Amino acid sequence: MSAIKIVTLGQSGLQVPAIGLGTMTFGEQVGAAEAFAIMDRALERGVNFFDTAEMYSVPPRAETYGATERIIGQWLAARPGVRQRLVLATKVAGPARGMSWIRGEHTGLTAPEIVAACEGNLRRLGTDTIDLYQIHWPARNVPMFGTMYYDPSKDRPCPSILEQLQALAQLVQQGKVRAIGLSNETPYGVHEFVRLAEQHGLPRVASVQNPYCLIHRGAENGLDETLHRLGVGLLAYSPLGFGLLTGKYDDSGFEGADPALGRMARFASMRQQRWGRASALQAARRYNALAREHGLAPTQMALAFCYSKWQVASTLIGVTSLSQLDACLDAWGTVLAPELLQAIDAIRLEQRDPAY
């Protein structure tokens, strides 16, 4: 396996490997001991970029709010000196979306909320500085998490992008945050964050963390041009489509499948989301069959697709075991033949983005 390349996130100066470790399974599907082993192995194999969030683990529950950050904090505390080798990213949650245990039902990224949230992140992680602090989802009304269309009638008053930037700037000035980023954002949102930062001399966003995989290539429909021209990096999450692109649900589907297979079989709430659509599984089965026809494991092809795309700065992999981690990292360096890429595009032309 060739060495994982190092990339710079936007104009921030933050350097990260082209593969990052997503951790939202820690605290629900993965206990602390296994999470420790996964983080140790990732670091051994050159993945020193870890991403988490205050609302994790997933699926979100009041009982596990902040659990992932606490596990990472415990791991860091038990390994003196490791923090200096790590690029640590976390997030502040946006408006409640039914998670009243975070900051109430009617809150939405005011400056005091952002500052207070960061204090909580730092405390749980047991660190003085967050390398990349991201807004998990926008305060304003936008189509996200499976909603396809923007509906202006749903607009409500919310903290302005300028107010959010000013709060993030305060955290940067205090040394609590090194760089800032967005997540689940639109081209409009990225443009506004960059425009206002430049206009007011505030920190510029380094990255946008959005879903990107074979069954959700929405980032290629305009967001990629925005990120390229503005110099912002894409952090691709869910590169395996919540496990659909591993092939493990090809035969059984979701309903009645062994819960040990993964979150789609284990949690009804996951099946009710975009990844649980019948059309998403149908498309995934076609991609998985295509991979096998070309002598590749479905996981290998799906990840190689993300790893090799110019649009992606770093791909965030999420795992529940050491064997899954090794399989994801072993896919680095896989080259997809031109005819295979053409066949992938042909399926997309028919199936579009069923998990959008």
Side-chain angles (χ1 to χ4, degrees), residues 3 5 44 68 78 136 189 195 203 228 232 272 278 347 350 352 356:
K5 70 178 180 181
E44 288 168 8
T68 303
H136 205 153
R195 181 183 71 84
H228 173 69
V232 178
Q272 294 164 5
I347 293 176
E350 293 182 23
R352 305 309 295 176
Y356 189 83

Side-chain angles (χ1 to χ4, degrees), residues 287 290 294 338-348:
Y287 288 117
L290 179 65
H294 285 258
E339 59 270 22
L340 176 52
L341 291 171
Q342 291 172 3
I344 286 172
D345 283 345
I347 293 176
R348 191 202 182 200

Side-chain angles (χ1 to χ4, degrees), residues 129 165-180 200-203:
T129 305
L165 268 174
Q166 289 169 334
L168 294 168
Q170 176 184 331
L171 296 171
V172 172
Q173 290 162 1
Q174 293 172 343
K176 296 175 180 177
V177 168
R178 290 180 60 198
I180 65 170
H200 295 275
L202 298 169

Side-chain angles (χ1 to χ4, degrees), residues 69-85:
E69 288 185 324
R70 283 191 291 272
I71 287 173
I72 295 172
Q74 293 160 6
W75 177 78
L76 287 171
R79 288 154 178 77
V82 164
R83 176 66 186 93
Q84 288 68 40
R85 299 166 52 196

Side-chain angles (χ1 to χ4, degrees), residues 246-258:
T246 66
K248 62 187 175 184
Y249 299 113
D250 283 1
D251 295 331
S252 65
F254 307 136
E255 299 290 344
D258 182 355

Side-chain angles (χ1 to χ4, degrees), residues 182-201:
L182 305 171
S183 187
N184 300 296
E185 255 302 356
T186 68
Y188 167 82
V190 180
H191 274 277
E192 278 297 282
F193 269 93
V194 170
R195 181 183 71 84
L196 290 168
E198 293 178 345
Q199 179 181 342
H200 295 275

Side-chain angles (χ1 to χ4, degrees), residues 84-135:
Q84 288 68 40
R85 299 166 52 196
L86 203 65
V87 179
L88 190 56
T90 191
K91 310 179 193 76
V92 50
R97 298 186 68 246
M99 291 175 283
S100 59
W101 55 85
I102 298 181
R103 275 181 295 280
E105 281 289 0
H106 304 290
T107 57
L109 291 171
T110 64
E113 287 170 336
I114 291 172
V115 171
C118 186
E119 295 294 344
N121 297 113
L122 291 166
R123 183 175 59 254
R124 288 185 293 271
L125 290 167
T127 188
D128 296 325
T129 305
I130 294 162
D131 297 304
L132 178 66
Y133 198 48
Q134 305 153 101
I135 292 176

